Amino acid sequence: MAVSSESMALRALIHDRYSELMARCRAMGVPVHDDAGVAERIRRTLLASDFAFDTWLRQPQLLAPQGLERLRAAGDAGTRIDALKLSADEGECMSVLRRFRHAEALRLVFRDVNGLDELSDTLAATSVLYEALLGAALGWGEEALAARYGHSRSHEGVLQRMVVLGFGKLGGSELNFSSDIDLVLAYPHSGQSDGHRSLDNSEYFVRLGRQLVRLLHEPTVDGICARVDLRLRPFGNAGRLALPFSAMEQYYQSEGRDWERYAWIKARPVAGDRNAGKQLQEQLRPFVYRKYLDYTAFAGLREMKSLIDAEVARKDLADNLKLGPGGIREIEFIVQLTQLIRGGREPSLRVRGLLPALTACEARGHIGATRARALREAYAFLRRVENRVQMLRDAQTHDIPEDELSRERIARGLGHEHWEELEQTLAHHRGIVSEEFAAVLMPQGGRTASAPVEDVILWRQACVGEVDAAAAEGAGFVPGGEVAEALMKLPQAAAVRAMSQPSRDRLDRLMPQLFIAARASAAPVACLLRLCRLVQAVARRSSYLALLEEQPAARKRLAGLFADSAFLAERVIVQPLLLDDVLDPRIDQIPLKRADISAEISRVLATLDEREAESELERINEFQASIAFRLGLAFNDGRADAVATARRLAALAESVVLAVTSMAERELIAQHGRLPGEGSGFAVLGYGSLGGEELGFASDLDLVFVYDGKRAQAMSDGARPLEGARWFQRLTQRIVNWLTVLTRAGRLYEVDTRLRPDGSKGLLVGSLEAFVAYQRSRAWTWEHQALLRARTVAGDPVLCAELADVRREILAVQRQREAVLQEVSGMRERWRAERDRSHAGQMDLKQGRGGLLDIEFALQGLVLAGAAQHPHVLQVTANAALIEACREAGWLSTRQAEVFARAHAELLRRSLACTLDLRSRIAPRDGALDALCEEVSQVTSDLGFVFYRA
């Protein structure tokens, strides 16, 4: 401690108190050894805390070598509480508990001010201290009550124990030095005690609760042990002190308020029957964390903040470290708001402590790294100052003392030469927090934003059926006929009429804001028509309306999207959950590779309470829709090119097929058992756009299913055994059904299985031996072309490897180049004649002359003709990569490869853009497109293909 700049008053205070302590030790015969800087540490503690001075005066033995060793010890109070000898006499028990608390609290001060603990250690150790005291006091109360009334039991005779739930900072293991402890008391079941003087459980646990509070909270000559606050229980002070779980659940289902959801975020069992406490938490989790994204949490936060602001104004608490502007509570609200909105979908956010929760929000990308760092630094600084304010006199206060000496002590204890220096740092952090909180609670253009009078009037007219085309056009929506009709229909929709009054008020505030957003978009009429459909779709889900009202950024982006992309707009209307992706469209936070996507699907499924097929499929649907939608946003915005987008969509589909296959295997094994042998003996081949890693936004999946023929006659080992061939047939049917079934979250994919051997006439799933025989002796050239794009996407690794070997063997046979080119050309010509929708003004991007299929067929012809000499080329199935492979093999010149690559990327870009606009892949002809297609046609002709005859 640098004493050079201490005030004389502070120097005298420390000197006098140190001298008084030494005199007290001499008088009590307590030896004090000034070794290893003991005196300096004692002085530093006296600088920071009057409470420490008072405790040493009362318990001077804590300055003896053994006492100082206890103060320096790293183990928390939980390691010493069991050594307490609690007398059966209540008064003596209370005295022992208080002396223990004072000694352990002194230890916390000593270690904190001398730099032996970090802030997180101090907060955690404080929490452990009070948990230990609660456990000891509850144990004493249970014994005392059991001696008089016996033990509590349920009606079935099962022993019952109280559950003590800690809330607030105790629940978060981040308790202040002199904080009160927020508790809720409960017990599992109704019943009565088993003693001679029996008590009903309702009375039994109320008495036990009163005893617990008395032991800890009642003042004695030794002070108090803990300030206990039970006002967070159901019905507050008007409610019973302890309730059974059933009553708790009923209360929160019917009476629970938003602020109680925030309170339960940090709740955890801290004493008594902790396992039962965890069961209660699980019962109440749906109350705290909603199944869908819950933007109604804003309303609860705003209400709590208004109450706090009123208290701050009434009590002049502007400088209050906890409740004042930029204080600790605002940081907590920022983090907890994110937890409540998203915690129902993302269990990783269900974290109790503030700093762990902030880290979880940052890890999931919901709070940016820069914001998280600023909030983390501000929180640590505020909590450190708050703790030192409370350590000063063991007072439950969050206000900085006004006298200069106390301020000097706090500042110097925290390493600042002067109070003004600390005050400046404090103001800096509080200013940052205030800005962050204001941006979250009241974003510019959010709930409080005003709308032009004309827009408010337009919506009011719509509500009474008085909007016509002229009124819509006057508001900027030309032509106005469809808009007027849509606006008048919306208030009359059944879902809108059934709205609660708060939801209807929210809608009335929102609609004028949507008019503004639509009018500013590139296509006002189309945008507003789609927005009206969305509002009708989400009318019964107030959370989505809250999102649009509270988040102007989401509103603006939604309007832009609805104007730009009919396809993505339809996805949002059908699956409003995608509104969250509109708000946060980044792709840097989503998995893009197959392994990462599969891992994320596993993580998502692991969040389900029950692993059963229907809920798993629904969650996979939601996940698939979200990732595909974000990929669509990225492509639509120009943040991802067509080739990368198509590849990522294919990786997504592959991961989904893998997940559904695993689910189907698990369900089938549960019903019918396993077949003998290692692995499943089953594989899924992806053909077409999936196999070629070139999937579109609305592409179906071409799948072929194969099994190990050696298991066809084997029987499964379950209670209802199946023969192998039938087992694999059931598995395949289940996979196809689950991929295509319509769930509440939509449908995953359409599936086409016609590329299997013998097409629609063949078996849905065939043996490997049958597959090989067909490909070798009966397959047409076009089927070998299709096989070029095939790859395994799910199944038994051993069988997948066998299929890869078979594919390579079949495709690498020696072929006559001229015959191959002739057959490929003939097939291309037939396809063009049957499917090409091009005409003078429009170009079929896939089937038209010089289109995508010309490139694809040319590549396939080259590979079939030359694979015998260059079998390594067969490892590639994607067209973009195949172009380069053909160039390296010498089948394409550098210029020809460049033409193909450039044309492929541009045609794919235009095709995806057509899909996003809900158009078939037919584009208006223009000079650039015609020139590009002509280049492709010239290259295919130069290669020897005759795709078009004069």
Side-chain angles (χ1 to χ4, degrees), residues 66-204:
Q66 186 176 359
L68 288 172
E69 185 59 33
R70 176 178 179 176
L71 298 182
R72 288 192 292 252
D76 57 42
T79 64
R80 289 178 289 277
I81 191 73
D82 291 338
L84 279 186
K85 304 297 183 183
L86 296 181
S87 168
D89 177 74
E90 183 183 69
E92 180 59 27
C93 172
M94 293 168 73
S95 178
V96 170
L97 287 173
R98 280 150 181 74
R99 290 198 300 271
F100 179 82
R101 182 264 169 185
H102 297 332
E104 289 297 324
L106 172 61
R107 173 186 166 277
L108 294 172
V109 177
F110 185 85
R111 292 184 60 80
D112 181 58
V113 301
N114 285 292
L116 300 177
D117 281 335
E118 297 293 331
L119 173 67
S120 58
D121 300 324
T122 302
L123 301 180
T126 305
S127 304
V128 171
L129 168 59
Y130 285 94
E131 282 187 64
L133 290 168
L134 279 165
L138 181 64
W140 190 94
E142 287 175 327
E143 287 186 15
L145 208 60
R148 298 184 65 186
Y149 304 107
H151 294 93
S152 166
R153 296 188 181 276
S154 69
H155 292 304
E156 291 74 29
V158 178
L159 185 68
Q160 304 287 290
R161 289 194 68 203
M162 176 175 278
V163 174
V164 181
L165 293 153
F167 284 69
K169 291 184 171 60
L170 174 60
S173 297
E174 52 194 13
L175 201 61
N176 303 332
F177 179 76
S178 300
S179 176
D180 57 2
I181 52 176
D182 295 304
L183 305 177
V184 168
L185 309 179
Y187 55 94
H189 301 290
S190 300
Q192 61 186 24
S193 63
D194 58 9
H196 293 297
R197 299 168 59 193
S198 177
L199 280 181
D200 184 83
N201 280 357
S202 60
E203 179 62 23
Y204 188 95

Side-chain angles (χ1 to χ4, degrees), residues 6-27:
E6 289 174 351
S7 67
M8 292 183 63
L10 179 56
R11 190 176 304 130
L13 176 75
I14 297 172
H15 177 270
D16 291 348
R17 290 189 168 179
Y18 183 81
S19 299
E20 187 174 351
L21 286 180
M22 295 303 103
R24 173 73 169 158
C25 288
R26 286 192 296 272

